[in-house]
Amino acid sequence: MVGGAFSMDGPFTSFNGGITASVVITCIVAASSGLIFGYDIGISGGVTTMVPFLEKFFPSVLKKEAEAKTNMYCVYDSMTLTAFTSSLYIAGLAGSLVASRLTAAFGRRNTMVLGGFTFLLGGAINGGAANIAMLILGRLFLGFGIGFTNQAAPVYLSEVAPPKWRGAFNTGFEFFIGVGVVAASCINFAAANHPWGWRVSLGLAMVPAAIMTGGALMIRDTPTSLVERGQLAEARRSLLRVRGKEANVEAELAELVKCSEMARVAAGENREPLVTIFERQNRPHLVMAIGIPFFQQVTGINVVAFYAPVLFQSVGFGNDSALVAAIILGLVNLGSILVSAFVVDRFGRRFLFMLGGIQMFVCQVAVAVVLGVTEGDSGTKHITKGYTILVLVLMCIYSAGFGLSWGPLNWLLPSEIFPTKIRPAGQSISVAVNFGTTFVLSQTFLIMLCHFKYGTFVFYGGWLVAMTVFIGLFLPETKGVPLDSMLAVWERHWYWGRFVKGQALPQQGNSH
């Protein structure tokens, strides 16, 4: 069966793991780790359009902007300027790989706390930056912080959330990313015309870092992580907290212990997870952990988010109008993430992936057509107000498609498909691929915009076609499937079954 749709008519015994006030609060706190990532995405693009910031660090960009005949596609073509944005992602890539070991050894919660403290330090350095070296140093600390939290938080959410609503709870991470983007865009707008506005924007990164770090200190680690580290008494207390007194905690804990032991034996007692993950039976999961974050980035969403104010200035908005347009874009994305949270566990992952891919493809091609007709290759024509608004509308529809699908699902899928023993390693690889691809694209986007012009959007449109076909052929449906039963999904898939046949563990219960 193409796509490998999965039936829940299988040998899965559900424990009483409904929605409790405690699990909601715990998941909200964990999901708030997305705040720091979203704040950085939203803040960096706006800061790079602030005149005082450019005067201090990138005067060559202002000089280009002042030249009346400059091609509008090339005003912000500065390798140093893009390094300010993209340097964070090199650090994030390294941080996410380090986080694999930290998460396994010290737990999901402690890794989130460490990430929050590291990000807070980066925000302080950037707010007080006196030169480009300090800016880049601050960005590196921010990157390590995000690398830690982006690795640990989605895994935490998948392991704590009840299986039936795992998609909705995990979408909370992307929702808080969206909240961070909107908050940052509003701060940029308020601070844009103040001489020290850029310092306020960069320095206030400490606020979301303090919020999520303080929250993380107040929650317990996941029962799965505690069992993996031999802390059974603490795991029992954690289960009682999130499942409630009515839940069958002892049976679920016993199942967690059993599955942990079986996974350890299957993987090899002393095997390194980053080695085990490359074995044949884990190939389907590995392909998805690499393919999904790669394809998510080649939708073009993050470069659009980073450079939204720059993009809108390029197509005719004034500085303030460009910042307002970026806020509108963020609000649309935030609304679509909420819609995704309500429908992901009803319609499934595959449907949303494919719907979002088609929607984004149409919008990318339409933006290319509008810019091609109005600006042409020269980029020196005067684009009318009507066309600038049309570009904004198209980008909003595009952003809504992303928020509905590839945004939240990028964090959900890798965190739910891996066996327990290699789950942190799998999530680390996924985050590393995400950051590595983001680095390349953010470092090259303004160069591409200058040289490819409106063809840049066709480039991303082509990738959207490829990724939608990829999902249709190779991604099985995972909605509602208990984490311990996930291997059965791959066994039934038309292609991946040849890699995992006979690998699924006997299922006698649902551990999360």
Side-chain angles (χ1 to χ4, degrees):
M1 88 192 126
V2 175
F6 181 76
S7 169
M8 283 301 296
D9 298 329
F12 308 126
T13 303
S14 278
F15 294 113
N16 182 11
I19 297 178
T20 64
S22 183
V23 79
V24 170
I25 293 170
T26 299
C27 287
I28 288 174
V29 170
S32 70
S33 297
L35 274 174
I36 61 176
F37 189 28
Y39 188 88
D40 184 81
I41 291 173
I43 215 71
S44 55
V47 165
T48 54
T49 66
M50 294 183 185
V51 173
F53 178 81
L54 294 173
E55 284 177 341
K56 184 171 181 62
F57 299 108
F58 307 101
S60 61
V61 173
L62 284 179
K63 183 179 178 181
K64 279 186 183 181
E65 194 172 16
E67 294 174 0
K69 293 185 179 180
T70 296
N71 188 317
M72 73 91 174
Y73 293 113
C74 300
V75 170
Y76 292 92
D77 180 15
S78 165
M79 290 294 287
T80 312
L81 180 61
T82 51
F84 164 72
T85 299
S86 61
S87 57
L88 177 146
Y89 294 93
I90 285 294
L93 189 157
S96 65
L97 294 176
V98 172
S100 170
R101 292 178 178 274
L102 292 176
T103 305
F106 302 107
R108 286 60 159 148
R109 189 207 70 155
N110 292 335
T111 304
M112 289 189 285
V113 171
L114 178 60
F117 276 121
T118 308
F119 190 92
L120 194 150
L121 177 60
I125 293 173
N126 269 356
N131 50 52
I132 291 178
M134 283 188 70
L135 273 182
I136 300 300
L137 178 63
R139 297 289 289 172
L140 293 176
F141 275 104
L142 295 176
F144 272 100
I146 291 174
F148 294 153
T149 55
N150 284 18
Q151 193 276 347
V155 172
Y156 187 104
L157 290 165
S158 285
E159 290 182 346
V160 168
K164 187 176 179 181
W165 298 282
R166 187 171 61 242
F169 277 98
N170 203 288
T171 298
F173 183 73
E174 180 71 14
F175 175 77
F176 274 101
I177 291 177
V179 170
V181 170
V182 172
S185 299
C186 292
I187 291 169
N188 278 338
F189 178 73
N193 296 317
H194 192 280
W196 277 28
W198 63 271
R199 290 194 185 277
V200 173
S201 292
L202 294 177
L204 282 178
M206 293 186 291
V207 174
I211 291 172
M212 65 81 47
T213 304
L217 286 169
M218 297 172 64
I219 61 176
R220 298 178 186 270
D221 208 349
T222 71
T224 301
S225 177
L226 292 166
V227 167
E228 283 291 298
R229 292 180 286 134
Q231 300 179 26
L232 299 186
E234 186 66 22
R236 181 179 290 105
R237 285 191 287 271
S238 180
L239 270 176
L240 277 170
R241 185 174 180 84
V242 297
R243 298 293 184 246
K245 293 182 179 179
E246 302 300 322
N248 190 358
V249 169
E250 292 302 324
E252 185 168 356
L253 179 62
E255 187 68 17
L256 273 173
V257 172
K258 177 183 176 182
C259 290
S260 175
E261 289 301 318
M262 295 178 73
R264 186 176 288 113
V265 171
E269 186 72 32
N270 299 312
R271 295 293 300 280
E272 168 60 50
L274 282 172
V275 174
T276 305
I277 202 170
F278 287 95
E279 294 178 352
R280 177 180 172 84
Q281 68 269 20
N282 297 315
R283 193 167 302 169
H285 321 75
L286 183 62
V287 168
M288 291 300 161
I290 294 172
I292 288 176
F294 171 79
F295 281 132
Q296 190 225 33
Q297 289 307 305
V298 292
T299 62
I301 187 63
N302 270 351
V303 290
V304 169
F306 297 150
Y307 302 116
V310 171
L311 177 64
F312 289 129
Q313 274 196 340
S314 295
V315 298
F317 285 95
N319 186 47
D320 287 348
S321 298
L323 291 173
V324 171
I327 294 172
I328 293 171
L329 203 64
L331 288 171
V332 169
N333 181 61
L334 196 58
S336 64
I337 294 169
L338 282 175
V339 173
S340 180
F342 283 105
V343 302
V344 64
D345 291 314
R346 181 176 180 181
F347 295 106
R349 286 65 159 147
R350 280 167 45 81
F351 173 77
L352 292 184
F353 266 131
M354 297 176 73
L355 176 65
I358 294 169
Q359 183 172 328
M360 288 187 286
F361 167 74
V362 171
C363 291
Q364 287 280 33
V365 172
V367 169
V369 170
V370 171
L371 293 181
V373 170
T374 57
E375 291 290 341
D377 288 332
S378 67
T380 56
K381 298 177 183 178
H382 179 67
I383 186 170
T384 64
K385 183 178 180 180
Y387 281 117
T388 60
I389 293 174
L390 177 58
V391 170
L392 174 59
V393 170
L394 288 171
M395 293 310 296
C396 283
I397 298 172
Y398 165 87
S399 184
F402 180 84
L404 182 68
S405 58
W406 284 86
L409 295 179
N410 171 69
W411 306 109
L412 170 59
L413 257 295
S415 71
E416 70 178 3
I417 61 176
F418 282 97
T420 302
K421 185 70 175 176
I422 58 173
R423 191 173 298 140
Q427 182 69 10
S428 288
I429 289 174
S430 178
V431 175
V433 171
N434 188 296
F435 283 156
T437 310
T438 303
F439 169 77
V440 173
L441 293 179
S442 60
Q443 188 65 31
T444 58
F445 174 68
L446 295 179
I447 300 172
M448 286 180 61
L449 189 62
C450 181
H451 292 86
F452 289 8
K453 304 174 177 60
Y454 58 87
T456 301
F457 298 95
V458 176
F459 169 81
Y460 288 120
W463 280 110
L464 284 161
V465 172
M467 59 204 277
T468 303
V469 172
F470 172 80
I471 290 297
L473 290 176
F474 296 112
L475 181 68
E477 184 54 68
T478 58
K479 70 170 182 176
V481 181
L483 296 185
D484 297 331
S485 307
M486 200 63 71
L487 271 176
V489 171
W490 303 96
E491 278 195 337
R492 300 183 185 188
H493 189 270
W494 71 275
Y495 179 74
W496 298 123
R498 69 191 70 180
F499 295 95
V500 297
K501 281 293 184 187
Q503 295 294 325
L505 301 176
Q507 300 301 325
Q508 298 179 8
N510 165 23
S511 69
H512 10 315

